[in-house]
Amino acid sequence: MRRFAISLAIVATISGCRSSTPTKTPSTNNAVPRGGELLISVRTDPRSFNRHAARDSTTDLVSSLTQAKLVRLNPATQAVEPYLAESWTTSDEGRRFVITLKRDVVFSDGHPFTADDVVFGFQAAYDERSGSSLADSVQAGHKKLQVGAIDPHTVSITFPEPFAPGLRILDALPILPRHKLEPALEAGTFTKAWGLDTPPSDIVGLGPFVLSQYTPGQRLVFARNPKYFGRAPDGGALPYLDRIVMDIIPDQSAELLRLESGQLDMMTSEISPDAYAPLKRAADEGRVTLLDLGVSRNANALWFNLKPGALGRDGRAAWLQRDELRRAISLAVDRKVFSDTVYLGAGVPVYGPETPANKQWFWAGLPQTPHDPAGARRLLASIGLTDRNGDGLLEDARNQPARFTLITQKGRTSLERATAVIRDELKKIGLTVDVVPLDAAAVIDRFLNAKFDAVYFSVDKSDLDPGNNADFWFSSGSAHLWNLEQKTPATDWERRIDELMTRQIASPDPSERKRLYDEVQQIFAEHEPVVYFVAPRIYVAHSARVTNVTPSEYRPQLLWRPDTVAVSH
């Protein structure tokens, strides 16, 4: 009870200080300081230096620092911006694009960048022997794009069928050096290239920084790429920074203490709600800048292992993989208690994969699951889970405890609190939940290999446009959380979503796309393969010496454009 009282006190402090309007760091483009180093933190080591090999957030961040893409999706405006591309034209009713590349661009080792590198990038993504994690992210309707080099500075990209998101899809693909990685592609070992044992000097890219040092479990250091093609508004070279030092700090409390004390310039994720009050004091004293970025487009997710046969001869499969179990959990967890306990009241209830932050695609008509423990018990009874011995806990038809293991990431306050709430709320309806916190790499490994009962974890969308999240929606997708990469849809409702999303992606009519996606969300709500509870408000902080940042609520909120970030001296 004491902890609950302290939480309420902090909520009162927060509600009295926070503004509902996102704050932006003032632009200082007229006099942006150059040089110096930025001290940032991540929670885990990267899984690879090759974005094709892994989809974890640290690998993705390393890629964004060291590599570049044809276009860049601005998460603050949702606009598609040229990056390696100079310009483009379109024809054939939007199916064919001719892209003119920036000239005089070279990789960090001085080798010229040409259209052949772009073609190579798509070949690497589509190589079935290697199994790139980006393969389904650069397909339209399960079909590969046709990519060709017209000349060294011009690329043609033809979509196999109408594709409404258009060039937004290119934001998923970093352009890697053909001259360094072609042998690995030819050998069918592309995703094994650039593993964590690769010498940093061998990691070549087009991005604003180069990897100069990696100490596993401790630190990555990135040096300014003097050959980077980007230019500042005044025509000067980018990036502004000389170095980025990325410390690996698994514990969020330690991370926040370092930020508050000036030993860290920024984190690469949002701050926890209970850190708001001390950081507000630090902001009032001028030591940090605290930003309110609004409601997140993402909510942390609970999902079960629905892969047929994954549980082997475990008799719990008879109820653990049932829709009724997930619907009962959604009914049993009080979303207000969840918001108050996990986010100290700074969150909004959600009932599906879209939050109110996604104004274009959020469906206001989505059924809102009430808090109904009695209804949850009835659903559980319908699949044979009842209290057979009068101890208040449920057993299945074999008289075995209705019990499952829920894994999550340790050291992440919001995840650990959330799983404690889920455990305690489900105990009230007789379900026993064993929460097992693991390091992020272990969680991801269990998930990818279908060695889990249930997972509670953060899963971020790659784009607000659902057509660009095919890896989540399609049954064959590599981010189809509950049953990855199905050869054929395991259920009729997944087959129906496949059909609807195929039409949704192809339609040129925005209103028809919205109607189709609303229907997808309706089917999703009926089966709840992933259960969502609350979307938090996003608060981020950086040291007062950081300048020229463009905040976005999408991770990394302050570092999605690393070439323009600067520090005062």
Side-chain angles (χ1 to χ4, degrees):
M1 289 300 294
R2 183 180 177 188
R3 181 177 179 183
F4 182 65
I6 292 172
S7 296
L8 287 179
I10 295 175
V11 169
T13 302
I14 291 173
S15 63
C17 298
R18 293 181 177 175
S19 165
S20 60
T21 303
T23 305
K24 301 239 177 169
T25 299
S27 172
T28 57
N29 278 341
N30 291 332
V32 180
R34 291 186 173 274
E37 69 178 18
L38 184 75
L39 308 176
I40 70 173
S41 62
V42 292
R43 304 277 168 76
T44 65
D45 288 82
R47 291 173 63 86
S48 176
F49 296 136
N50 182 350
R51 180 60 182 83
H52 288 263
R55 59 170 64 245
D56 62 285
S57 59
T58 307
T59 298
D60 191 55
L61 179 56
V62 170
S63 178
S64 73
L65 294 174
T66 59
Q67 310 300 331
K69 305 168 183 177
L70 287 174
V71 303
R72 183 160 55 182
L73 183 61
N74 185 322
T77 66
Q78 288 301 299
V80 176
E81 301 176 343
Y83 198 12
L84 288 167
E86 181 73 37
S87 62
W88 54 82
T89 60
T90 183
S91 59
D92 193 15
E93 298 182 334
R95 288 182 54 196
R96 185 171 188 265
F97 293 83
V98 175
I99 299 175
T100 301
L101 305 177
K102 285 184 168 69
R103 290 179 176 266
D104 301 320
V105 174
V106 299
F107 285 92
S108 55
D109 63 356
H111 194 280
F113 159 67
T114 71
D116 288 339
D117 295 295
V118 177
V119 175
F120 172 77
F122 281 89
Q123 290 173 338
Y126 295 148
D127 184 55
E128 295 181 359
R129 297 171 301 168
S130 298
S132 169
S133 67
L134 298 177
D136 49 0
S137 298
V138 286
Q139 294 187 33
H142 299 297
K143 298 175 184 176
K144 302 173 183 177
L145 279 58
Q146 295 178 1
V147 183
I150 296 175
D151 61 46
H153 302 291
T154 313
V155 174
S156 69
I157 297 180
T158 304
F159 287 82
E161 55 192 33
F163 184 71
L167 290 186
R168 299 174 75 93
I169 197 173
L170 302 184
D171 180 69
L173 187 69
I175 303 302
L176 302 181
R178 175 187 175 188
H179 67 282
K180 295 287 287 186
L181 294 172
E182 188 172 40
L185 181 62
E186 291 177 346
T189 58
F190 183 77
T191 52
K192 292 182 172 60
W194 287 4
L196 297 183
D197 57 351
T198 303
S201 59
D202 286 352
I203 310 298
V204 172
L206 295 163
F209 295 91
V210 293
L211 180 65
S212 62
Q213 178 186 333
Y214 173 49
T215 305
Q218 298 181 38
R219 176 173 297 161
L220 297 97
V221 179
F222 300 85
R224 182 179 185 276
N225 176 8
K227 295 181 172 61
Y228 181 57
F229 62 91
R231 287 293 177 266
D234 63 3
L238 291 176
Y240 291 114
L241 296 166
D242 288 333
R243 292 205 318 164
I244 293 179
V245 178
M246 182 188 295
D247 282 343
I248 300 164
I249 309 175
D251 183 75
Q252 190 176 47
S253 297
E255 192 178 32
L256 290 164
L257 284 173
R258 291 180 62 174
L259 177 63
E260 187 181 358
S261 65
Q263 301 176 62
L264 199 64
D265 287 316
M266 69 173 65
M267 304 186 306
T268 52
S269 61
E270 62 276 9
I271 65 171
S272 60
D274 53 346
Y276 184 91
L279 287 175
K280 179 65 168 63
R281 288 192 293 271
D284 291 342
E285 295 167 3
R287 291 183 285 120
V288 302
T289 299
L290 187 59
L291 306 174
D292 175 0
L293 304 182
V295 175
S296 175
R297 73 181 70 176
N298 296 296
N300 293 332
L302 169 68
W303 69 92
F304 284 79
N305 186 349
L306 304 187
K307 188 177 186 65
L311 300 179
R313 297 181 179 179
D314 191 334
R316 296 177 307 150
W319 56 268
L320 200 57
Q321 296 184 322
R322 293 287 293 268
D323 290 2
E324 292 87 346
L325 173 67
R326 302 186 300 280
R327 290 204 298 267
I329 289 172
S330 189
L331 287 167
V333 174
D334 187 330
R335 285 170 170 80
K336 185 177 187 309
V337 169
F338 193 103
S339 178
D340 290 345
T341 306
V342 179
Y343 301 116
L344 307 187
V348 298
V350 290
Y351 307 92
E354 299 298 350
T355 81
N358 193 350
K359 295 179 176 60
Q360 182 177 357
W361 298 104
F362 177 74
W363 179 34
L366 187 73
Q368 297 188 4
T369 306
H371 178 227
D372 184 4
R377 280 186 173 272
R378 288 193 294 272
L379 271 175
L380 295 176
S382 74
I383 56 173
L385 301 183
T386 58
D387 182 3
R388 300 174 187 275
N389 55 22
D391 63 355
L393 299 176
L394 303 181
E395 289 81 33
D396 62 18
R398 304 166 302 134
N399 204 32
Q400 295 298 306
R403 185 172 198 154
F404 64 87
T405 298
L406 177 60
I407 62 174
T408 194
Q409 182 182 347
K410 66 180 178 182
R412 287 281 300 278
T413 304
S414 61
L415 297 179
E416 292 180 333
R417 282 183 178 167
T419 50
V421 171
I422 294 168
R423 177 197 63 206
D424 295 346
E425 291 287 274
L426 296 190
K427 185 176 181 181
K428 296 175 184 176
I429 61 168
L431 289 174
T432 302
V433 180
D434 300 310
V435 176
V436 178
L438 303 170
D439 64 70
V443 174
I444 294 169
D445 184 70
R446 294 270 197 97
F447 157 57
L448 292 177
N449 291 288
K451 296 179 179 179
F452 66 95
D453 292 345
V455 177
Y456 186 80
F457 202 51
S458 55
V459 182
D460 294 345
K461 301 179 186 69
S462 55
D463 188 5
L464 289 181
D465 189 318
N468 240 14
N469 292 305
D471 52 353
F472 175 85
W473 283 114
F474 283 102
S475 58
S476 60
S478 60
H480 196 70
L481 303 176
W482 56 97
N483 184 4
L484 298 177
E485 298 176 322
Q486 302 169 36
K487 294 187 183 305
T488 58
T491 62
D492 289 339
W493 61 267
E494 286 173 289
R495 180 178 293 104
R496 177 60 178 160
I497 287 178
D498 284 357
E499 294 168 353
L500 290 169
M501 286 304 301
T502 298
R503 292 165 53 194
Q504 199 269 353
I505 288 169
S507 175
D509 181 357
S511 60
E512 175 66 2
R513 292 191 71 206
K514 181 66 167 67
R515 186 193 69 77
L516 290 166
Y517 191 52
D518 288 351
E519 186 174 346
V520 167
Q521 292 178 77
Q522 174 69 55
I523 296 170
F524 191 94
E526 291 170 359
H527 298 276
E528 272 190 288
V530 182
V531 184
Y532 300 90
F533 302 106
V534 172
R537 290 193 71 84
I538 298 298
Y539 299 91
V540 295
H542 61 75
S543 68
R545 74 192 196 102
V546 175
T547 187
N548 211 49
V549 295
T550 305
S552 162
E553 61 84 26
Y554 186 69
R555 295 175 185 158
Q557 291 93 350
L558 301 173
L559 203 61
W560 66 270
R561 187 178 272 167
D563 49 349
T564 62
V565 176
V567 292
S568 57
H569 306 298

